[in-house]
Amino acid sequence: MTWSTRQLAELAGTTLKTVRHYHQLGLLEEPERAPNGYKRYDVRHLVRLMRIRRLADLGVPLCDIPTVAAADARSTEVLRALDAELAANIERQQHMRRQLAAVLEDRASLDLPVDFGAAATTLPQAQQDLLVAYSSVLTPAAMSLIRDQYARPRDEVAEGFEQLPADAPEDVRRRLAAHLAAEVRAQRAGHTFITDLDAASRRNETLTRSVVTQALITFYNEAQLDVLRHLHALLEQEEADGGADGDSRRGGKGEQDHSGNPDPHRVTPGATG
């Protein structure tokens, strides 16, 4: 009693295409043919095909199936490597599930690290985009500090900065800068590392500065950028007057360079949080 290719595939729980593919790879030997030219498979082909399917279902790459099936000295190494790969995949999938759970249950942002929770979802979209850009260059410790800032209820100053229109008058910009100066001083006193962009970065200096600069000029309007320039000028003046510590050169939220853009080296991410 022999079987056709279709019957063999059905017995092994696979498809005609798969059987033919195994023939092409040399995993399954070609059977004899009947006088009419049709292939005639016997139980040896069925056992071989079932073994191939079993190993493939376990995740063994097709190229390694002959080695594992032969149970030679290298087969154990192949299986151990496969087990390590599966363990890594499981951990990655569990991490993905934790991320999804935070989004579904805690209303966390899809774009930001999961530990931001729902704190960032109430921010204006431009502010969320700014944080996403920062997350590509800042260290986890720096992002955690920013997260803590946004987890606190936003006061009128932060709200005023976030909603500041591009045509806001000069006196409004200067008042905002004066209010923000106090927050930046307090932040700098407790977290000196965050006032140094290089220390807060996990990328090279040039790349980090380019990301922060582009983020600021893209997601902040001209009035907001002007507030940051005024803010830095205030902090610089305090230092000149002897009212600030010696690190204040890196404590501002932004400084204007020769191109008219904020100097990223003097940016304190999240200072308006």
Side-chain angles (χ1 to χ4, degrees):
M1 175 70 74
T2 57
W3 308 293
S4 67
T5 306
R6 186 178 301 278
Q7 289 172 321
L8 179 73
E10 182 179 350
L11 288 169
T14 187
T15 64
L16 278 170
K17 183 178 180 180
T18 299
V19 174
R20 290 166 181 160
H21 184 55
Y22 290 163
H23 281 317
Q24 292 172 353
L25 296 178
L27 293 175
L28 183 66
E29 64 177 325
E30 294 278 353
E32 295 181 354
R33 293 181 179 269
N36 59 8
Y38 286 104
K39 294 176 182 177
R40 298 188 302 184
Y41 294 93
D42 60 29
V43 71
R44 291 171 300 176
H45 296 101
L46 175 61
V47 171
R48 175 64 178 176
L49 180 57
M50 294 286 286
R51 182 172 292 122
I52 294 170
R53 294 297 302 153
R54 168 64 173 166
L55 294 175
D57 289 343
L58 287 174
V60 177
L62 295 181
C63 61
D64 288 328
I65 283 180
T67 298
V68 176
D72 60 19
R74 187 171 170 271
S75 63
T76 300
E77 296 179 12
V78 172
L79 293 177
R80 284 178 176 166
L82 174 61
D83 183 63
E85 181 181 347
L86 290 173
N89 288 338
I90 290 172
E91 175 58 31
R92 181 179 63 85
Q93 291 173 348
Q94 288 176 338
H95 176 72
M96 292 167 62
R97 291 199 67 199
R98 289 192 293 270
Q99 298 273 333
L100 289 173
V103 172
L104 294 172
E105 298 172 12
D106 301 330
R107 297 177 56 249
S109 169
L110 280 169
D111 299 321
L112 291 167
V114 66
D115 55 0
F116 267 75
T121 59
T122 59
L123 295 174
Q125 188 59 52
Q127 195 80 2
Q128 294 186 44
D129 292 342
L130 187 75
L131 292 176
V132 172
Y134 282 169
S135 69
S136 71
V137 294
L138 298 185
T139 63
M143 290 302 295
S144 293
L145 175 59
I146 296 174
R147 176 204 63 205
D148 293 343
Q149 291 175 319
Y150 283 107
R152 298 194 298 266
R154 294 194 298 282
D155 57 22
E156 293 181 2
V157 177
E159 292 282 359
F161 181 84
E162 292 165 8
Q163 299 173 12
L164 188 68
D167 60 353
E170 180 68 13
D171 62 324
V172 173
R173 302 181 188 188
R174 289 185 177 275
R175 279 201 305 272
L176 266 176
H179 287 302
L180 289 173
E183 295 185 12
V184 173
R185 286 193 296 270
Q187 180 195 60
R188 184 174 54 205
H191 304 279
T192 55
F193 82 95
I194 196 61
T195 65
D196 183 348
L197 184 62
D198 294 337
S201 172
R202 57 190 175 90
R203 308 291 184 188
N204 70 67
E205 179 180 332
T206 301
L207 184 60
T208 296
R209 293 188 182 192
S210 69
V211 170
V212 173
T213 297
Q214 289 195 42
L216 286 172
I217 64 178
T218 299
F219 301 121
Y220 282 158
N221 62 39
E222 179 53 38
Q224 291 169 318
L225 293 175
D226 196 36
V227 169
L228 301 183
R229 297 183 188 110
H230 288 316
L231 168 61
H232 179 76
L234 286 172
L235 296 173
E236 287 284 273
Q237 186 61 48
E238 286 180 0
E239 180 186 11
D241 294 341
D245 60 58
D247 289 332
S248 63
R249 288 189 173 274
R250 295 186 179 183
K253 180 78 177 187
E255 178 187 76
Q256 186 175 7
D257 62 17
H258 296 298
S259 65
N261 295 328
D263 177 1
H265 186 68
R266 308 192 179 216
V267 170
T268 303
T272 62

